[in-house]
Amino acid sequence: MNEKVKSGSRNVAIVGPYLSGKTTLLESLLFVTGAISRKGSVKDGNTVGDSATESRDRHMSVEVGTANTEYEGTRFTFIDCPGSVEFVQETYNALMGVDAAIVVCEPIRDRVLTLAPLFKFLDDWEIPHLVFVNKMDRANINVLETLHALKAVSSRPLVAHQYPIMQGEQLTGFIDMVSEQAYKYHPGAPADPIPFPESLKAEEHTARAEMLEALANFDDHLLEELLEDIEPPQEEILKDLKMELGADLVVPVFFGVAEQDYGVRPLLEALLREAPEPETTAERRLKNIKVNTPLAQVLKTYYTPQGGKLSLVRVWSGKLTDGIVLNGIRAGGIYRLMGQQQQSVNEAGAGEIVALSRMEGIKTGDILSTEQSAMELPKAEQLEPVYALAITPEKRNDEVKLSSAITKLLEEDPSLAWEQHGDTHEVILWGQGEIHLQVALDRLRRKYNLPMTTHLPQVPYKETIRKPVASVHGRYKHQSGGHGQFGDVFLDIKPLPRGEGFNFKETIVGGVVPRQYIPGVEMGVREFLAHGPLGFPVVDVAVTLTNGSYHNVDSSEQAFKQAARLAMQTGIPQAQPTLLEPILRVLVTTPSEFTSKVLQLLSGRRGQILGYEGRNDWQGWDSVSAYLPQAEMQNFIVELRSLTLGVGSFHWEYDHLQEVPEKLAERVLASNTNGSNGNGK
């Protein structure tokens, strides 16, 4: 294993809510370390992190961006993760391969709640993380309120690593809580030491005491020193910070203004001194692994216009060399990424994050090894799709290319899914929200020359009957020279309990319908039920063949099939057909403060509330269970997120069919373009 790479590198994800300034922080980190000579801006669309066309068009990150730099002899690989909840799968996948994460947030108490799902993910996977409170040049900042709000959404204790020095509404410097040295910021230059501000002495002393007490919870020696009023040496405090951050026991908090580079260098110093080295992360993730066995995990898949397919991988052990064969596939090349720029390298050692080219058939999350029985590595849970659009190629001839293009799209973004619906026959693209699907459609158009038309998916309504009808007669007689066609049947039709589906039987006696023709009768019934008089499949119906007649020469299975269709065409309209809609069972998760709004949202969409209770392992969150018509699910996620600061989510599954209210059924049937039953009616 390459010891120099192991001890001289850090892999760090930059995560946080939309508009918190993650991409701006990455630009600042690259600038102060000399990786770039001039900073770009999100507004101008020239940042390293937002190098994808879809990101620049929207002035927001829509996929992870990777950049490399060096600082004091250590190689840093930063992964800039999207902040929008619609692209959180990208973030979760990337976090599985880093040594630490920087959680970027704004100093706005009311928005801190949006960090709760991210903190939960980091803590569940024991990923070490620091908090960088950005945009400290905002007006009306209350540092203590922000810290208190952050502590309320984190299961790990937060410890202030710095105490900000404010002059009015401006951040002018900070006090390092370890050394108690004060510093003053200068635009474009490192901060200078200054005398300790006496006006902040009491506040800083209180905050430092809280930091030391939090660290002492995991260090008995430090606890003894505090109890005996012994000032612990700086080396011991730094050692505790490194140990406890590395074990995800505490979360250090920093303050700054990334746009002005304020606070960026202290953050880098903390990553250098206190963040865990790659081998520490590997020891936590891997068990019983041969040290020299090449082992990597795919964190992200890209299809680039220039280089084709790229697989961003974390090398967990061994060494990847040019031309290496992993999972039976020869890597086309090894690259370090700087946004969309690629730097070719001959090898990558354990602890590095690099891109491999032309790994066909390899997907995000896959484990790559030179050995056939490669060990399993943990993968981020696949998010369930919550928003859908029906898609159709603008050019009919492009339909043959669609399946291949969508397969590549799903390799790039595993939080997408697609299906060809069995009832509506629509191609449906599923994702995490409206913007998410628009980005996917943009990629289909730009990368694969597949422009699409879209609409909301049709609701797969069904129909059934309310009353039985007996002895419905159907006769098919056709003469066209030579042998004719003759079939004659009598059917009893009755409704079945909801969910029973379809049942066919016969009570023929005396051979009035020969046995060889009875399958044709059932086939004719089934064909009719596929498209009933209201325009939808008919379910929960029992049909019994009770009588009939035949002709020795002219009868055939086909003739009896047509006779059965005619009988059904006559009988089903007499049986009071009614419209059914699919009802889903949904489980909505929301912060408790929004539960009442969620209940109103569900009720306003014809939902039936089944109950709610506190969410397991999520303090201050509720789970609301309800039945909701599928017709009311379209755009449900949009409104739910609007009500819950973007953090509400739901799980859904089909539960049962239910009659549509009469007035609504009238509107559905009036707008249904498939209203004719297609059975000759």
Side-chain angles (χ1 to χ4, degrees):
M1 202 180 285
N2 190 324
E3 291 295 327
K4 182 176 181 182
V5 170
K6 280 173 53 184
S7 60
S9 64
R10 300 285 189 283
N11 300 301
V12 181
I14 304 175
V15 298
Y18 174 55
L19 294 178
S20 58
K22 299 177 300 300
T23 301
T24 302
L25 176 61
L26 175 61
E27 287 292 301
S28 182
L29 288 164
L30 297 176
F31 178 71
V32 301
T33 56
I36 57 176
S37 58
R38 182 179 178 182
K39 292 196 296 182
S41 73
V42 174
K43 182 179 178 181
D44 293 338
N46 57 357
T47 60
V48 174
D50 287 348
S51 56
T53 301
E54 295 80 14
S55 295
R56 291 181 171 176
D57 287 348
R58 292 169 174 79
H59 304 294
M60 63 180 287
S61 300
V62 301
E63 65 181 10
V64 297
T66 308
N68 284 272
T69 187
E70 289 190 8
Y71 182 69
E72 295 191 6
T74 296
R75 175 178 297 282
F76 281 90
T77 299
F78 290 107
I79 300 183
D80 181 22
C81 299
S84 168
V85 67
E86 297 189 24
F87 301 96
V88 73
Q89 185 79 62
E90 294 266 324
T91 298
Y92 290 167
N93 292 339
L95 283 170
M96 302 308 293
V98 299
D99 305 308
I102 304 169
V103 180
V104 185
C105 67
E106 298 176 83
I108 301 174
R109 181 186 58 185
D110 294 342
R111 294 187 189 174
V112 167
L113 181 62
T114 60
L115 293 169
L118 179 57
F119 276 140
K120 185 71 167 58
F121 183 90
L122 292 167
D123 291 337
D124 284 350
W125 288 101
E126 297 181 344
I127 300 170
H129 51 287
L130 313 87
V131 171
F132 183 76
V133 183
N134 192 24
K135 302 184 180 181
M136 287 292 292
D137 52 347
R138 289 280 181 91
N140 303 318
I141 292 171
N142 188 312
V143 175
L144 294 180
E145 280 188 0
T146 301
L147 281 173
H148 181 74
L150 285 167
K151 290 176 181 178
V153 296
S154 172
S155 64
R156 303 292 192 262
L158 272 73
V159 295
H161 204 297
Q162 300 174 325
Y163 197 89
I165 301 175
M166 307 292 294
Q167 184 174 345
E169 297 174 357
Q170 298 299 314
L171 178 70
T172 60
F174 69 97
I175 301 168
D176 183 276
M177 302 281 269
V178 176
S179 64
E180 293 197 280
Q181 173 63 58
Y183 294 87
K184 183 177 182 180
Y185 286 128
H186 299 285
D192 283 337
I194 59 172
F196 194 102
E198 290 297 322
S199 60
L200 297 178
K201 193 166 188 178
E203 296 175 19
E204 188 274 342
H205 181 75
T206 300
R208 188 171 191 268
E210 290 179 1
M211 176 191 74
L212 294 175
E213 288 169 7
L215 297 177
N217 288 330
F218 310 100
D219 184 347
D220 291 341
H221 182 260
L222 178 59
L223 179 60
E224 290 175 8
E225 289 178 325
L226 296 182
L227 291 174
E228 297 174 9
D229 288 331
I230 298 174
E231 176 64 27
Q234 294 182 30
E235 294 76 12
E236 182 179 3
I237 299 173
L238 288 172
K239 181 181 176 182
D240 279 342
L241 280 167
K242 182 177 180 64
M243 178 188 71
E244 291 158 26
L245 171 63
D248 187 37
L249 297 173
V250 299
V251 182
V253 181
F254 296 79
F255 301 88
V257 182
E259 195 170 23
Q260 300 179 43
D261 307 329
Y262 290 176
V264 174
R265 291 177 178 84
L267 182 64
L268 269 170
E269 289 290 337
L271 291 172
L272 193 65
R273 296 191 309 259
E274 300 158 29
E277 293 85 358
E279 71 266 29
T280 302
T281 308
E283 288 169 3
R284 188 176 74 248
R285 285 269 189 263
L286 310 180
K287 306 291 182 186
N288 304 320
I289 179 107
K290 298 175 185 176
V291 170
N292 294 319
T293 301
L295 184 72
Q297 184 175 21
V298 183
L299 307 180
K300 168 68 182 172
T301 303
Y302 301 95
Y303 275 94
T304 65
Q306 303 84 11
K309 183 177 181 179
L310 287 176
S311 301
L312 186 71
V313 304
R314 160 77 185 240
V315 185
W316 286 106
S317 68
K319 182 188 294 185
L320 306 186
T321 54
D322 196 20
I324 191 171
V325 176
L326 300 166
N327 294 22
I329 303 167
R330 185 180 186 275
I334 305 173
Y335 303 92
R336 290 199 183 101
L337 299 184
M338 190 72 167
Q340 288 196 333
Q341 297 178 11
Q342 304 168 17
Q343 177 192 356
S344 178
V345 294
N346 293 324
E347 63 180 41
E352 290 198 75
I353 291 179
V354 294
L356 305 178
S357 66
R358 296 197 291 276
M359 297 295 289
E360 301 304 326
I362 297 300
K363 305 184 298 297
T364 299
D366 283 356
I367 312 303
L368 308 180
S369 178
T370 54
E371 296 188 357
Q372 290 185 347
S373 57
M375 66 171 292
E376 286 296 314
L377 284 170
K379 295 190 286 188
E381 183 179 356
Q382 190 80 18
L383 297 177
E384 296 181 60
V386 293
Y387 186 85
L389 285 174
I391 61 173
T392 307
E394 287 184 3
K395 303 173 185 175
R396 186 159 189 166
N397 292 339
D398 286 343
E399 289 180 0
V400 293
K401 300 191 299 183
L402 184 59
S403 176
S404 173
I406 289 184
T407 298
K408 292 181 178 180
L409 206 62
L410 268 59
E411 285 185 26
E412 282 193 278
D413 186 351
S415 62
L416 292 167
W418 77 295
E419 64 171 321
Q420 179 132 21
H421 199 282
D423 287 340
T424 65
H425 308 295
E426 295 174 312
V427 175
I428 299 176
L429 185 63
W430 285 91
Q432 303 304 312
E434 186 175 8
I435 297 175
H436 185 214
L437 291 192
Q438 289 302 327
V439 167
L441 293 168
D442 282 356
R443 287 177 176 152
L444 282 175
R445 175 181 50 78
R446 184 176 58 83
K447 291 185 177 182
Y448 308 109
N449 193 26
L450 278 172
M452 294 284 155
T453 59
T454 66
H455 60 269
L456 291 176
Q458 297 176 34
V459 177
Y461 291 104
K462 301 285 195 296
E463 54 184 279
T464 191
I465 57 174
R466 288 196 178 112
K467 73 171 190 177
V469 290
S471 297
V472 182
H473 186 213
R475 171 177 287 188
Y476 181 72
K477 187 176 182 180
H478 184 69
Q479 194 73 37
S480 59
H483 287 306
Q485 293 288 329
F486 180 83
D488 186 52
V489 298
F490 289 85
L491 305 178
D492 286 352
I493 306 170
K494 68 176 183 178
L496 288 175
R498 195 72 63 243
E500 290 293 315
F502 169 67
N503 177 266
F504 177 83
K505 63 181 181 179
E506 50 84 15
T507 58
I508 295 298
V509 293
V512 292
V513 176
R515 291 288 166 191
Q516 67 267 29
Y517 300 147
I518 292 177
V521 176
E522 181 177 356
M523 189 182 306
V525 171
R526 287 184 179 274
E527 286 187 2
F528 177 88
L529 293 180
H531 199 90
L534 303 182
F536 303 96
V538 184
V539 296
D540 301 335
V541 170
V543 176
T544 303
L545 172 63
T546 60
N547 205 346
S549 62
Y550 72 102
H551 189 279
N552 283 328
V553 176
D554 292 344
S555 287
S556 65
E557 185 177 13
Q558 180 67 24
F560 273 92
K561 184 176 83 168
Q562 294 299 328
R565 287 175 63 93
L566 291 171
M568 294 297 292
Q569 185 176 311
T570 301
I572 288 290
Q574 298 174 15
Q576 291 185 3
T578 186
L579 192 64
L580 298 175
E581 63 179 338
I583 304 297
L584 310 180
R585 188 183 182 102
V586 299
L587 185 67
V588 181
T589 55
T590 174
S592 301
E593 62 191 87
F594 301 122
T595 300
S596 61
K597 292 182 178 180
V598 170
L599 294 173
Q600 292 173 14
L601 173 62
L602 289 166
S603 298
R605 288 177 173 249
R606 299 192 289 126
Q608 177 187 349
I609 308 297
L610 301 177
Y612 66 93
E613 59 185 2
R615 189 177 182 187
N616 292 336
D617 300 326
W618 283 68
Q619 185 176 356
W621 285 62
D622 287 335
S623 295
V624 181
S625 180
Y627 287 138
L628 196 63
Q630 185 173 333
E632 303 290 342
M633 289 296 293
Q634 295 170 338
N635 293 319
F636 178 73
I637 187 62
V638 177
E639 197 165 348
L640 176 63
R641 286 172 177 160
S642 176
L643 288 176
T644 61
L645 293 179
V647 297
S649 61
F650 67 87
H651 162 80
W652 65 271
E653 58 186 22
Y654 170 81
D655 193 271
H656 64 277
L657 289 170
Q658 181 174 292
E659 283 194 30
V660 180
E662 186 175 351
K663 288 186 178 180
L664 179 59
E666 291 174 0
R667 292 202 299 269
V668 171
L669 295 176
S671 63
N672 178 32
T673 56
N674 299 318
S676 61
N677 66 14
N679 291 302
K681 181 175 172 64

